Amino acid sequence: MEFAKLLAGSPASNAGLTYEDVIVGFNGVRIGYMTASELTERIAHFDPGHEITFTVRRLVQDMEYPPGVVVPDPTYGGRVEVFVRVRLGKAPVAAQ
């Protein structure tokens, strides 16, 4: 599952997720064929301030590595799996 849109200043954006990341796991569980609506519903069960973890596949060339670190072998079509922790914020207020 890929992000169709990622809002600047959102908890996901602030945690370092990008629109090119492919979500493959949520809190340590593979999401398989879960839809975006199903994932959103699961996330909605957590209170603001709670920290959740996404497992994402990220393009290797988009990652920064410290000097001396061996760049991982991109086994998923040029992507590696990384964990991103997101601290949830309050739900946005709908426009009236």
Side-chain angles (χ1 to χ4, degrees):
M1 176 184 316
E2 293 182 45
F3 289 102
K5 186 175 184 181
L6 197 60
L7 299 175
S10 68
S13 175
N14 290 343
L17 288 170
T18 72
Y19 74 93
E20 291 181 331
D21 287 338
V22 177
I23 303 170
V24 295
F26 170 67
N27 279 351
V29 178
R30 293 290 187 181
I31 61 171
Y33 294 102
M34 186 182 297
T35 66
S37 296
E38 291 169 329
L39 181 58
T40 300
E41 185 177 313
R42 287 190 182 194
I43 294 170
H45 288 284
F46 294 96
D47 293 326
H50 190 88
E51 190 171 271
I52 60 174
T53 303
F54 288 108
T55 305
V56 298
R57 289 189 183 152
R58 180 169 288 170
L59 292 169
V60 171
Q61 69 262 22
D62 292 344
M63 298 180 67
E64 296 179 15
Y65 297 95
V69 172
V70 176
V71 176
D73 178 30
T75 56
Y76 302 104
R79 295 176 184 266
V80 293
E81 289 193 359
V82 296
F83 299 101
V84 179
R85 291 190 186 117
V86 177
R87 184 165 305 281
L88 298 177
K90 294 183 180 180
V93 176
Q96 297 193 17

